[in-house]
Amino acid sequence: MKNYKMIITYDGTRYYGWEHQPTTDMTIQGKLESVLSAMTGTEVEVIGAGRTDAGVHAKGMVANAHMETKMKEEEICDYMNRYLPEDICVQEVRVASDRFHSRYNAQGKTYCYTCYVGDKKPVFNRKYVNIIDGKLDVDAMKRAADILTGEHDFASFCGNPKMKKSTVREIYSIDVSLKGSFLNLTYHGSGFLQYMVRILSGTLLEVGQGKRTPESMYELLEERNRSLAGATAPAKGLCLLKVDYSKELDRPDAVQ
């Protein structure tokens, strides 16, 4: 039995997130497992690098699954794309180390939150952007982002009030970039709490709208109180771009 690493792209609009749900089969994990179980004739568990929320998209989600099959990597990829829904695509399948675990071995993730701040309706992008009325003070947002960058306790930006594990995370960078009518907030960090990127984005947008100052980020970090931070930005604007791993674990001959 080999351990296969997969890179997956999906439009999350129709789905209730990555993880299994007890009341619906409309999850990304569920669709992948259904196809792979049919392919191998046995039940296959697909492990994802994270649990994206309902409505969140991905260009570079990473998953792994241990399977027994005579099919080559390219054949597995072709089979999956033949039977998966049109809004899920497997970009790559290849054998990894037996000890490779897509979630536990992840060393960093990159997310992008996209907003539209133009005068006309973004007809063809409407499912993938948060539409903002009025202009934004991008420079103020950049100053606030600089304050949030680094290792902090992000309890104020966590959507789970009963979080038992540490809420300390490190954000390596937050890039605030306005290109034409599209504002991209790109986050690269060691890992993110539940709804963290969406709450960060909602808070930065309030800074851009003049509803709070960049310097107020210091208080949010210190107080560790979710009620003080901004609104949770809509899921449709968020996309997982990339997951970072050690190259050693990608090798099938890595030391066990």
PDB file of all heavy atoms in Angstrom, residues 39 51 87 127 223:
ATOM      1  N   MET A  39     -12.730   3.470  -7.195  1.00  0.00           N
ATOM      2  CA  MET A  39     -11.576   3.104  -8.012  1.00  0.00           C
ATOM      3  C   MET A  39     -10.843   1.890  -7.458  1.00  0.00           C
ATOM      4  O   MET A  39     -10.430   0.983  -8.201  1.00  0.00           O
ATOM      5  CB  MET A  39     -10.613   4.287  -8.104  1.00  0.00           C
ATOM      6  CG  MET A  39      -9.416   4.057  -9.010  1.00  0.00           C
ATOM      7  SD  MET A  39      -8.162   5.367  -8.865  1.00  0.00           S
ATOM      8  CE  MET A  39      -7.321   4.842  -7.355  1.00  0.00           C
ATOM      9  N   ARG A  51      -9.139  22.336   6.961  1.00  0.00           N
ATOM     10  CA  ARG A  51     -10.589  22.208   6.827  1.00  0.00           C
ATOM     11  C   ARG A  51     -11.172  23.541   6.359  1.00  0.00           C
ATOM     12  O   ARG A  51     -11.590  24.353   7.186  1.00  0.00           O
ATOM     13  CB  ARG A  51     -11.208  21.792   8.163  1.00  0.00           C
ATOM     14  CG  ARG A  51     -10.668  20.475   8.713  1.00  0.00           C
ATOM     15  CD  ARG A  51     -11.371  20.130  10.016  1.00  0.00           C
ATOM     16  NE  ARG A  51     -10.882  18.871  10.572  1.00  0.00           N
ATOM     17  CZ  ARG A  51      -9.929  18.758  11.480  1.00  0.00           C
ATOM     18  NH1 ARG A  51      -9.344  19.867  11.940  1.00  0.00           N
ATOM     19  NH2 ARG A  51      -9.563  17.593  11.944  1.00  0.00           N
ATOM     20  N   ASP A  87     -16.525  21.010 -10.701  1.00  0.00           N
ATOM     21  CA  ASP A  87     -15.946  22.083  -9.895  1.00  0.00           C
ATOM     22  C   ASP A  87     -14.863  21.593  -8.935  1.00  0.00           C
ATOM     23  O   ASP A  87     -14.451  22.305  -8.020  1.00  0.00           O
ATOM     24  CB  ASP A  87     -17.033  22.849  -9.126  1.00  0.00           C
ATOM     25  CG  ASP A  87     -18.032  21.943  -8.420  1.00  0.00           C
ATOM     26  OD1 ASP A  87     -17.797  20.713  -8.373  1.00  0.00           O
ATOM     27  OD2 ASP A  87     -19.055  22.454  -7.934  1.00  0.00           O
ATOM     28  N   LYS A 127     -18.864  35.285  -7.816  1.00  0.00           N
ATOM     29  CA  LYS A 127     -18.851  34.171  -6.868  1.00  0.00           C
ATOM     30  C   LYS A 127     -17.534  34.062  -6.105  1.00  0.00           C
ATOM     31  O   LYS A 127     -17.420  33.241  -5.194  1.00  0.00           O
ATOM     32  CB  LYS A 127     -19.125  32.848  -7.598  1.00  0.00           C
ATOM     33  CG  LYS A 127     -20.511  32.724  -8.184  1.00  0.00           C
ATOM     34  CD  LYS A 127     -20.805  31.307  -8.643  1.00  0.00           C
ATOM     35  CE  LYS A 127     -19.886  30.862  -9.760  1.00  0.00           C
ATOM     36  NZ  LYS A 127     -20.222  29.481 -10.222  1.00  0.00           N
ATOM     37  N   GLU A 223      -6.001  42.335  23.935  1.00  0.00           N
ATOM     38  CA  GLU A 223      -7.228  41.990  24.657  1.00  0.00           C
ATOM     39  C   GLU A 223      -7.659  40.537  24.446  1.00  0.00           C
ATOM     40  O   GLU A 223      -8.352  39.960  25.282  1.00  0.00           O
ATOM     41  CB  GLU A 223      -8.364  42.924  24.238  1.00  0.00           C
ATOM     42  CG  GLU A 223      -8.174  44.360  24.684  1.00  0.00           C
ATOM     43  CD  GLU A 223      -8.188  44.497  26.199  1.00  0.00           C
ATOM     44  OE1 GLU A 223      -8.914  43.737  26.868  1.00  0.00           O
ATOM     45  OE2 GLU A 223      -7.449  45.360  26.709  1.00  0.00           O
TER      46      GLU A 223
END
